[in-house]
Structure formats: C-alpha cells, structure tokens
Amino acid sequence: MSGDYDAIVIGAGNAGLTAAATLQQAGARTLLVERHNVPGGCATSFRRGRYEFEVALHQLSGIGAQGQAFSLRGLFEGLGVADELDFVQEHDLYRAVVPGRYDVTLPAEWGAATDALEQAFPGNRARVERFFDLVRNVAFWHVAAMRGTPAEQVDPVLFRQALRPVEDVLDEHFTDTDLKSVLSLYWTYVGQPPSRMAFQDLATVLFAYFEFKPWHVRGGSQAMSTAILGAFLRAGGEVRFHTAVEAVLTRGGRVVGVRLDDGEEAGAADVVSNASLPVTYGMLEGTDLPGAVRTDLASRRLGVSGFVLHMGLDATPAELGFTTSTSFVNVDTDHERTYASTRSLEPARGICVSSYDVAPIGFAPAGATHVSLMTLQYADVWDGVPADAYARVKYDYAQTLLDLVEHITPGIRDAIEEVDVATPLTMARYLGHPGGAIYGYDQDVTDTWQFRDTERRSHVPGLHLVGSWSSMGGFQPTLEAGARVARRLLRARAA
C-alpha cells in the first residue's frame, strides 16, 4: 500500500473534521478523504447572485459565553480555531405562529420565557416553572449519564422521565393545547413528533439553547468548517478532495486501510467513517459483515430528510416583518398530523424560517436579507415523481412554503431576487446519505444511546463510526462526536 497513515478519516463533515483535527494534533498521521471540493458536508454554503446561502445551520447550540464550562467554545479552543470564529448570538429561541391561534416569541432566558408564556397563556406561570425545573433536571442528569456517571449516582428523575414521550410529559403539566404546541416545537430539530420523541431529547435541546443560547457563525457554517480544516492542515494533516473511498480493506477481520476511487490503496490501522452506516458497512472488503451489525441495521429506519427553499430578498428584515432569526409557522397545533404529512406532497403544514440578517452573518448585501424556509419530508415521497416533472413539482411545492411564511411576511414574493430549492433527493445526492436523511436514522426512543452503542463499537476492529448515523444528529452533537471518538481511539492506542 502507498502512503501508510496512522488513521484515515472518511468524509469532511462536522464529525469527520473534528475527528481528523483531534487525531492529527495528537501526533497521529492522518489522511482526510472528501468526495466534494470543499469541507463541511451540511456545514457549508453556496452563492447565488449577490447572496451566499447557508445550507443547513438554523441555530448552533452549545457555544455559550466565554469561559462557560462544557461549551463548544472549549472544543474550538482545543482545536486552536476559537479566535478565527466570530459567533453571532440570537436573543430569542424562536417565534411560534399558528395563524388565528397564537403568535408568541420565546426569549432565550428561562425567566423571560416564563413571562412571555404567562402573558400569552395567562394562569400557567406555576405550571411553566415546574416544567422548566423538570427540563433542567432531566437535561443535567441525561448529560451526566452519557458522560459515564454511575447509575447509582444518577438522580432517579432521569429513570422516571427520560424515555417517556414528550406528549405524555406535556399532558401531565398543561391542559392548554396551544401552550403545549409552543413548548414542543423543537421536535423538528430531532425529526420525531411529540408522541415519539423521548423527553430527554426535548429537555436536552431546550437546556442547550436556554443555557448556552442559540448562535450563528459570521461567514456561515462554511467559516467553521474551513477553520477546522485549517487547524488539521497546520498540524501536518493531509486532505484529498474530489476523492471517494471505494472500499474499507480488512485482513484477518481487522481494518488495514482503504482503496480510493482511482484504485490507489492507503494503509492505516484505524479508519474513522463519517459516512452513513449503510454506506460504511457496504464498503467493507475482505470480511463478512458481523451478525450483530446485520441485526442492528435491520432494526433501524432511515430518518427524515428536508425540503428547503433558499431566498435572497431585496428588502431588510424589518421591512419584511422578521422580528426573530428563527420562526416556526404551522397551520395548526396538530404536530402528529404535520409529521404524518412528511410522507406526502400535500401542502407544507409547518416550516422553520431562518432569517440570517436579523443578526447579520454577512451573507446578504446592504438593504437585503437571506432567508431559508424548511419543512421535514421523507425522500420516498419523491421517488414516484417522473424526471420530466421534477422541476415543476418541486417549485409547485415550494409555493406552499411561501403561502405559510406570508402569514408573518405578507408580500414576501415581491421581494424575491434569488431562489434555490433543495428536495430530499438533493440531500441524498449531495450528502451521499440513503434517503437524504439529515439526522441519520429515525431518532425515536429505540435509537437513543441507552439502546444503541454504535459509536463505541463497530464490531470490526479498527473501524470507528462518527456522526449522526452513530449518535445523535445535529451540529453540536456531531462536532462533539468526532473529537470524542478520536480521543477514545487515541486512548486505546496508548493503552
């Protein structure tokens, strides 16, 4: 084999980048292989006319204040890139709108959010305070348990509440349907409706945004990806763009390297894959797929993808009526019905609206704004659309997202200067993920860390799995996962 390495990392997405940088900075000679021409995966951007469009980042959790413990700042400082990144804070979690029912903005602070909910839904202050207390307790002990705190030292509240459906916990605390709807809106960040979403997941997401605040990155998520790649290269790492891994090679049941798409083979005792699990295991060559892996893959379901409408608008956020960076607009409070619609082409029932210039990240020219509208959707919806009808169908469907956003920005169509539309098929083609899944597998209770140990054990010695397909999806979890798996690999090598 040519160019032997200590480790080879497949894919320069969030987890692949932090894994590669962590390994190389620790002295492990590392090759990073990426089939695209830029790093980032979902953490990237692209240009249309006068605008730069952020591909996927809606709100970055975990940044926190300078010096705040257990924040992503510590990860970026450890990688040596913190000074290269300029974070832009959002002061509200989100604006929640159901036309004719409610229009509520939740500040990113526990007390202020309680005040806002009490004003919108009078008589619920004590209930909200009890609910937020439970959120904080469950989130704290959930993180502690994931970090290895022995079970006997974990507060019993975690065992009682963590895996219960969000819907059940909300029903215990509230009778107001609208209030429950507002509090559960982050279900779209996991891709599971309140009836299937584990309460520990909602609690952890709420805690992350309340305690560490929501943020954007000036220059977009591409600035973050580029900075981490730069740290990797400065440490002596080697990257190959426009290159795909064709096979993960094994000998005697153990990983020995990879074969690239040009036929070159590169040796390494450890391969870290940021590709999806089906793709990763499908690349194994020279060994049979372990039975435990077959059983695990067969018991999982491909997760949800997304439909995104990117727009460059020739008007300011204030002129358009955007008051928050993030808004959720739904036709009603029936989140179960909205989730069911993700398997059809019926008009969008719920959208996440990101206005990146309420707190500008530098992607729109003066006097203009960059906005994305996203709704969850499974890829198989598009499988039956004929190729010659694809463009028409996707632009027709995009109109239904515009219909919804016009409830908060009347006349937005008149301001459209640039537009780009991504369907689940776009996600599948660009990311290389089966089904275009943006969070990996369906992240219901059966896919939680309590029942899956994919990240810790691939069942193939020398193969290490990182990213949304082996642990929780989203930006913060995948950034942390890459560094965590790399440190675990380094400890094992040193033992």
Side-chain angles (χ1 to χ4, degrees):
M1 292 186 181
S2 63
D4 284 354
Y5 301 87
D6 295 316
I8 296 172
V9 178
I10 303 172
N14 283 332
L17 285 168
T18 55
T22 301
L23 289 167
Q24 185 65 42
Q25 289 177 344
R29 185 168 178 246
T30 303
L31 170 67
L32 175 61
V33 183
E34 169 57 50
R35 64 192 184 99
H36 289 299
N37 64 334
V38 293
C42 285
T44 190
S45 58
F46 62 95
R47 292 200 66 85
R48 290 290 184 272
R50 300 191 299 157
Y51 301 85
E52 187 94 4
F53 287 161
E54 170 65 51
V55 166
L57 181 58
H58 300 293
Q59 295 176 298
L60 183 58
S61 62
I63 295 300
Q66 195 73 39
Q68 190 171 5
F70 306 113
S71 71
L72 273 180
R73 286 185 191 270
L75 172 62
F76 294 137
E77 288 168 359
L79 295 174
V81 301
D83 292 341
E84 301 176 43
L85 300 175
D86 184 7
F87 297 108
V88 180
Q89 184 177 346
E90 296 181 38
H91 296 284
D92 297 311
L93 295 192
Y94 51 76
R95 179 183 177 189
V97 178
V98 170
R101 303 247 343 216
Y102 60 69
D103 187 338
V104 185
T105 297
L106 285 191
E109 194 275 321
W110 299 102
T114 301
D115 292 340
L117 290 168
E118 174 61 20
Q119 182 176 353
F121 310 105
N124 283 285
R125 179 179 295 276
R127 296 175 186 226
V128 172
E129 290 173 342
R130 284 195 297 272
F131 178 74
F132 281 166
D133 280 343
L134 181 63
V135 165
R136 284 190 288 265
N137 282 328
V138 169
F140 176 85
W141 289 109
H142 180 217
V143 173
M146 287 194 294
R147 290 177 179 270
T149 301
E152 61 272 15
Q153 297 178 22
V154 173
D155 191 298
V157 68
L158 184 70
F159 304 111
R160 291 196 303 265
Q161 303 287 352
L163 298 179
R164 298 183 64 203
V166 166
E167 184 177 66
D168 290 0
V169 177
L170 287 171
D171 286 346
E172 277 191 359
H173 284 78
F174 308 103
T175 57
D176 190 309
T177 299
D178 289 355
L179 176 53
K180 288 187 284 187
S181 171
V182 170
L183 286 170
S184 61
L185 282 169
Y186 273 144
W187 71 264
T188 56
Y189 282 14
V190 176
Q192 293 294 291
S195 65
R196 295 176 56 181
M197 183 182 186
F199 180 64
Q200 66 183 17
D201 291 343
L202 178 64
T204 302
V205 172
L206 283 171
F207 184 85
Y209 284 121
F210 271 124
E211 287 292 321
F212 296 92
K213 312 307 178 190
W215 302 77
H216 282 126
V217 185
R218 198 174 304 280
S221 59
Q222 184 67 72
M224 182 173 63
S225 303
T226 301
I228 300 172
L229 176 67
F232 170 69
L233 294 175
R234 286 193 298 273
E238 180 183 340
V239 62
R240 299 195 195 181
F241 290 112
H242 290 298
T243 303
V245 172
E246 183 179 87
V248 176
L249 306 175
T250 65
R251 186 180 301 126
R254 198 191 196 289
V255 165
V256 294
V258 302
R259 184 171 62 251
L260 306 178
D261 56 0
D262 63 359
E264 178 186 352
E265 294 185 356
D270 291 288
V271 171
V272 179
S273 179
N274 192 194
S276 70
L277 264 61
V279 169
T280 299
Y281 285 122
M283 291 190 294
L284 279 176
E285 187 174 292
T287 188
D288 292 331
L289 193 63
V293 173
R294 294 180 184 275
T295 300
D296 179 67
L297 295 183
S299 66
R300 292 182 164 189
R301 296 176 297 275
L302 291 181
V304 72
S305 186
F307 183 102
V308 187
L309 172 59
H310 302 280
M311 294 182 293
L313 304 170
D314 189 18
T316 67
E319 289 169 339
L320 292 164
F322 288 111
T323 57
T324 59
S325 296
T326 301
S327 303
F328 292 100
V329 186
N330 287 271
V331 297
D332 56 34
T333 61
D334 190 348
H335 297 311
E336 303 302 315
R337 176 75 181 79
T338 297
Y339 175 72
S341 73
T342 62
R343 296 188 180 277
S344 76
L345 280 172
E346 68 173 282
R349 290 177 47 83
I351 55 174
C352 174
V353 184
S354 297
S355 177
Y356 295 96
D357 294 283
V358 172
I361 65 170
F363 274 6
T369 188
H370 156 219
V371 172
S372 75
L373 314 180
M374 179 180 182
T375 191
L376 298 177
Q377 197 173 55
Y378 283 87
D380 53 11
V381 169
W382 291 86
D383 290 343
V385 177
D388 60 357
Y390 177 72
R392 175 184 59 79
V393 173
K394 78 172 182 178
Y395 283 109
D396 285 349
Y397 188 76
Q399 295 291 340
T400 73
L401 278 69
L402 285 168
D403 291 340
L404 264 182
V405 78
E406 283 211 323
H407 288 290
I408 60 173
T409 57
I412 191 173
R413 285 176 166 90
D414 296 333
I416 296 176
E417 179 180 337
E418 296 287 345
V419 68
D420 194 270
V421 178
T423 74
L425 299 187
T426 312
M427 309 292 183
R429 183 174 65 253
Y430 180 77
L431 297 175
H433 291 180
I438 55 178
Y439 302 130
Y441 289 108
D442 262 344
Q443 296 187 24
D444 59 16
V445 172
T446 68
D447 206 60
T448 59
W449 64 273
Q450 290 98 325
F451 297 101
R452 308 281 183 178
D453 198 23
T454 312
E455 184 185 275
R456 288 182 177 271
R457 188 181 181 191
S458 71
H459 297 281
V460 179
L463 178 62
H464 311 271
L465 308 170
V466 297
S468 59
W469 292 81
S470 56
S471 58
M472 191 173 185
F475 272 71
Q476 180 184 356
T478 51
L479 287 164
E480 292 174 332
R484 181 173 59 246
V485 170
R487 290 192 295 266
R488 190 180 298 141
L489 186 163
L490 291 166
R491 288 195 299 269
R493 291 177 64 129

